Amino acid sequence: MCNNYRLHVPANQLAVPFTDIGRRLILPDGIPNLEPTDYRIGDRAPVVLAGEGGLQLVMTPWAWKGPTGKPVFNFRSEGRSFAGSTRCLIPADGFYEFTEPKVAGKKTKWRFTLIDQPWFWIAGVVKEGAFAMLTTEPGPDVAPYHDRQIVVLPPGAGAHWLDLSAPEELILRPSPLGSLFVERVYP
């Protein structure tokens, strides 16, 4: 499952898809200083929520504690409705998956980026003040590396998830063939 992603995009670029459709992204704590970062479970990361007064970019921890105490960082989307949930968009420009064989005790690390887009959204939900990424069955670009994938949305499709202005089954689906570029980053 995705337990590592990156964001190397300035905060002001995250507002553009909303501005393009006549909506404003509110920064309640001011423009965050988003240094190019690889995020891991437990890190505070930027997410966009539909809140009071409009869309808000806020810093939120990645993963809430599950019933067994283990972190819930990915959440299966199939068979669920998220209409009553606090939905969020997680900005990213790449996510990682890890496969065997191990080299020097570490698995092979693969980075996935969206072809023809400098960044994308990951569909997520917020619970207990933290977020988790939604997953679905893997698309053909991810299937050789993992049996699940996070829900990747192009920048212009994010508002559909926040507003549920399209049916959930059309939003929460695998990435189509040829939409993700894959490169090995370790070793």
Side-chain angles (χ1 to χ4, degrees), residues 73-147:
F73 54 95
N74 291 151
F75 198 73
R76 186 179 290 261
S77 66
E78 295 95 337
R80 293 186 162 110
S81 172
F82 296 95
S85 300
T86 302
R87 295 173 302 283
C88 70
L89 293 169
I90 305 145
D93 63 18
F95 67 93
Y96 302 99
E97 292 295 352
F98 300 84
T99 61
E100 299 289 346
K102 292 183 177 180
V103 176
K106 293 185 179 182
K107 290 184 176 183
T108 302
K109 185 175 185 177
W110 304 90
R111 181 173 50 233
F112 294 79
T113 55
L114 193 58
I115 292 175
D116 297 330
Q117 295 287 339
W119 63 276
F120 53 87
W121 300 112
I122 300 167
V125 291
V126 175
K127 181 179 174 182
E128 299 174 13
F131 72 89
M133 298 175 173
L134 293 182
T135 67
T136 188
E137 62 186 46
D141 297 335
V142 177
Y145 305 91
H146 206 284
D147 62 352

Side-chain angles (χ1 to χ4, degrees), residues 139-159:
D141 297 335
V142 177
Y145 305 91
H146 206 284
D147 62 352
R148 302 286 301 158
Q149 84 161 70
I150 56 174
V151 176
V152 174
L153 304 171

